[in-house]
Structure formats: structure tokens, C-alpha cells
Amino acid sequence: GENVEQHPSTLSVQEGDSAVIKCTYSDSASNYFPWYKQELGKRPQLIIDIRSNVGEKKDQRIAVTLNKTAKHFSLHITETQPEDSAVYFCAAIINNAGNMLTFGGGTRLMVKP
Amino acid sequence: EAQVTQNPRYLITVTGKKLTVTCSQNMNHEYMSWYRQDPGLGLRQIYYSMNVEATDKGDVPEGYKVSRKEKRNFPLILESPSPNQTSLYFCASSLARANNEQFFGPGTRLTVL
């Protein structure tokens, strides 16, 4: 089955710096890659996603890049703010039918003021 | 208000005592799923449902049952809970298939003694 690995497990940055979280996946047929943000005690919420027909997608301070050949995708957050502190999860579709999501283990991002 | 609800939010029970966690969505979504969240393991899919009377196993289905008799409801049943099922459980729904934004419920924290 699909395997999604996420690194690092924890990341501490200074406010205003950039943060990068990386994920690798095993199934070359995977074609959908979302990122979810989970604040402490809250439910996960989608922040950005990318499909396999594009290599990069941006939304204000957040961007995701996809390298299908290497089977990895990354989340980039620029000009980090304290409210960006949360756990971030990457995910990938497990099969061609698009029925199952496999999540990475999560990255706890801490933005220090 | 469009939302996914779960009940109960917190539950402490004993080994072997059958329990049901309810999940309901009011967005007319076809796809619903259950995840468990454990530290360092991310979100792991237990079961998913493509539509009414269509359910299938996720990555960790052992010890769980589900049913989808109505489009809006997707209960999770633990016939004989064990301590290794102590976890934080999330229900989620999306318009169709897993390759769309997943809307998560608030979570149910289950402790099995």
C-alpha cells in the first residue's frame, strides 16, 4: 500500500523566517497531495492541495511543490507568524480510484516571536 | 451552518463494553471516513464510505465496524473495545471521493481502560 513519510517531525523557526516541510510517497500512481493544518485541540483543516498535473501551487504565504519523478512534495511557508504554529500533515491518495488518503506522521511547527 | 458533528466528544469506557461514536454531516457529501490519530503516527484511515450502503476498509480496520444506511450518518462501532483502541478519532466528509477537501468533525477522545 501507499506509504507517506514526512520530515521533520518538529521544526522551530523565528518569526519572519521561512519553513519547509517535506514528504515522500511510495505509489507512483498517486495523483492528489493535500496539506492539512491542525491547531492545538482543533480539527485538521485543509490549507492547500496540489494535483499531479502541476508542479507548484501558491496561496499567499503558502506554496506547495511537487516532484513526481522523485516522488516528493513540499510545503513552503514564507514570512512565518506565531499563528502559523500548529501541526501540519501531508497526505497522498493511495490508489487510482481516489478512495483512500494516507497521511504522513505530522510536523509540529513552532514560530517563535 | 455546514458542519460535521461527532458524539460523544469524550468517552471513558472499559474493555469489552460495546460503544458507538456517531458522525453526521449536513453538506450532502457522498464520501465519509473515519480516522484515528495517535502521536507520531499521523491520521490513519479506519473505514471509508463512497455512498449509502458502500463501505470499505482503510489502513487499520481491525476491531471496528461501520454502517452507512443514510447519506448524512456514518457511525463507528467498537464491538469489544480494547486498550489499544484508546485514541483520538475523527470523522470526515467530502463532496465525492478522497481527492477533494476533507471536512473533519471536532474529534472524539476515547479512553479504554
Side-chain angles (χ1 to χ4, degrees), chain A residues 2 31-32 34 36 38 41-46 49 51 87 89 93-106, chain B residues 3-4 9 31 35 37 40-45 48 50 57-59 88 90 97-107:
Chain A
E2 176 68 283
N31 56 14
Y32 176 66
Y36 284 81
Q38 186 180 27
K42 301 289 182 63
R43 69 194 77 187
Q45 290 187 296
L46 181 72
D49 58 10
R51 299 184 189 272
V87 177
F89 293 99
I93 285 289
I94 192 171
N95 60 23
N96 287 331
N99 296 339
M100 290 179 60
L101 267 180
T102 299
F103 283 83
Chain B
Q3 60 182 348
V4 179
R9 296 288 313 281
Y31 184 93
Y35 297 89
Q37 183 176 16
L41 297 177
L43 293 148
R44 293 181 292 168
Q45 195 168 39
Y48 65 92
M50 297 293 289
K57 297 177 181 178
D59 287 326
L88 178 59
F90 285 101
R97 298 182 179 274
N99 55 354
N100 291 276
E101 178 177 3
Q102 301 294 305
F103 292 86
F104 283 85

